[in-house]
Amino acid sequence: MSGEERANLVQECLRRLHDIGVQTVSLTCDGPSCHLSMFKALGALISPSNMSPSFPHPSDENLNVYILLDICHMLKLIRNSFASGGLLKNGNGEIIKWKNLVDLNNLQNSEGLRLANKLRSSHINWDKQKMKVNLAAQVLSNSVADALEFCCDVLKLPDFQGCKATVEFIRLFNNLFDIFNSKNSFQKGFKSPWREVNYNYWHPYLETCYTYMYISQLTDTSGLLMTSTRRKTGFIGFLVAIRIF
């Protein structure tokens, strides 16, 4: 089924829901190319340089329906891109290395100790369990970033020197995933549900140009923007979520 055919079905569903008094405010899906084509056919724009992640409601042009790419799926795609390529570059040209995570896992295995993180060989050999969200979330986590910093700054191990860019990458996606995946009313910080009382905590993090520009400027080792590669979907998915909120 083409993207245009899917768009027609979505519009028909929206009309029927509207007819019985249901107001649809958002549309969420995962990231195959046919869904990206569907968004385009509906009227949403998802180019990083021209982002408008909504489209007019077919029954009321004064209403917008916002699009979202499932953030759990997007996190797995980010992990897949990072691990498969092995290297990324941030906007400053600094190298983000999957090898830092491999080295951390090897160190922990050899020492028989864990630096307060859940990193295991199953996280490194993720391709056999690529659908498990928890493996991606535990890799791109603050606890792993903390362990890398400890190895670099405190233990001063040679294998971890120059891992600051990797730490920054991991922390950013950890925080974004916490914000967009908040679900427990008792959680604190970025994991807490969005409420008016904590609006001034999470919203400035999304509103700053830093998070959006950081992802927009990530490249592969050849200098090609990740949002322009075959593995663009995960990065675009996070940009869409940032723009909406």
Side-chain angles (χ1 to χ4, degrees):
M1 188 181 296
S2 69
E4 188 170 346
E5 290 170 330
R6 291 169 188 265
N8 290 336
L9 287 175
V10 166
Q11 288 179 322
E12 181 61 24
C13 290
L14 292 174
R15 291 189 190 97
R16 295 193 180 196
L17 288 170
H18 185 271
D19 289 344
I20 60 172
V22 176
Q23 182 179 343
T24 305
V25 296
S26 67
L27 173 66
T28 303
C29 63
D30 56 5
S33 58
C34 59
H35 287 169
L36 302 186
S37 298
M38 176 187 70
F39 288 153
K40 183 178 180 181
L42 287 168
L45 302 175
I46 57 173
S47 169
S49 60
N50 186 24
M51 181 76 69
S52 181
S54 65
F55 59 91
H57 195 292
S59 295
D60 186 348
E61 62 181 15
N62 294 318
L63 296 176
N64 283 330
V65 179
Y66 292 89
I67 62 169
L68 281 169
L69 290 162
D70 175 58
I71 210 66
C72 292
H73 188 64
M74 296 303 105
L75 190 74
K76 290 186 292 182
L77 293 179
I78 295 292
R79 185 274 317 274
N80 296 357
S81 298
F82 182 27
S84 297
L87 297 173
L88 298 172
K89 285 185 179 180
N90 63 23
N92 296 322
E94 298 167 327
I95 303 297
I96 302 161
K97 302 177 184 177
W98 178 257
K99 184 178 182 296
N100 292 147
L101 303 180
V102 176
D103 289 341
L104 177 60
N105 182 60
N106 290 340
L107 175 65
Q108 293 183 148
N109 287 341
S110 65
E111 295 294 330
L113 297 170
R114 301 285 157 188
L115 291 171
N117 62 78
K118 296 183 178 180
L119 191 68
R120 301 290 191 278
S121 295
S122 57
H123 297 87
I124 302 301
N125 302 314
W126 56 272
D127 54 319
K128 297 179 181 179
Q129 303 179 77
K130 64 177 65 178
M131 296 306 293
K132 291 188 175 181
V133 179
N134 66 309
L135 292 183
Q138 289 164 1
V139 164
L140 300 173
S141 66
N142 276 337
S143 60
V144 168
D146 290 342
L148 291 175
E149 279 191 325
F150 184 79
C151 291
C152 175
D153 298 338
V154 179
L155 299 181
K156 300 189 182 302
L157 299 176
D159 287 343
F160 297 93
Q161 298 308 304
C163 71
K164 295 296 186 183
T166 306
V167 169
E168 180 185 32
F169 176 86
I170 290 173
R171 288 200 192 282
L172 181 130
F173 282 104
N174 171 86
N175 292 342
L176 289 177
F177 184 67
D178 284 350
I179 290 172
F180 297 133
N181 195 48
S182 60
K183 53 191 176 183
N184 187 332
S185 59
F186 296 103
Q187 290 282 12
K188 304 296 183 182
F190 288 134
K191 291 185 178 182
S192 61
W194 297 5
R195 299 188 179 98
E196 187 176 355
V197 294
N198 66 358
Y199 177 86
N200 290 329
Y201 181 78
W202 59 263
H203 189 261
Y205 188 79
L206 299 181
E207 193 176 42
T208 60
C209 292
Y210 167 71
T211 51
Y212 192 90
M213 292 302 296
Y214 179 91
I215 297 174
S216 299
Q217 293 173 353
L218 288 170
T219 71
D220 61 16
T221 53
S222 69
L224 184 64
L225 290 172
M226 293 306 298
T227 53
S228 300
T229 66
R230 291 189 305 107
R231 297 183 177 276
K232 64 184 177 182
T233 305
F235 301 93
I236 289 177
F238 272 92
L239 292 178
V240 166
I242 292 169
R243 266 295 179 259
I244 287 176
F245 299 104

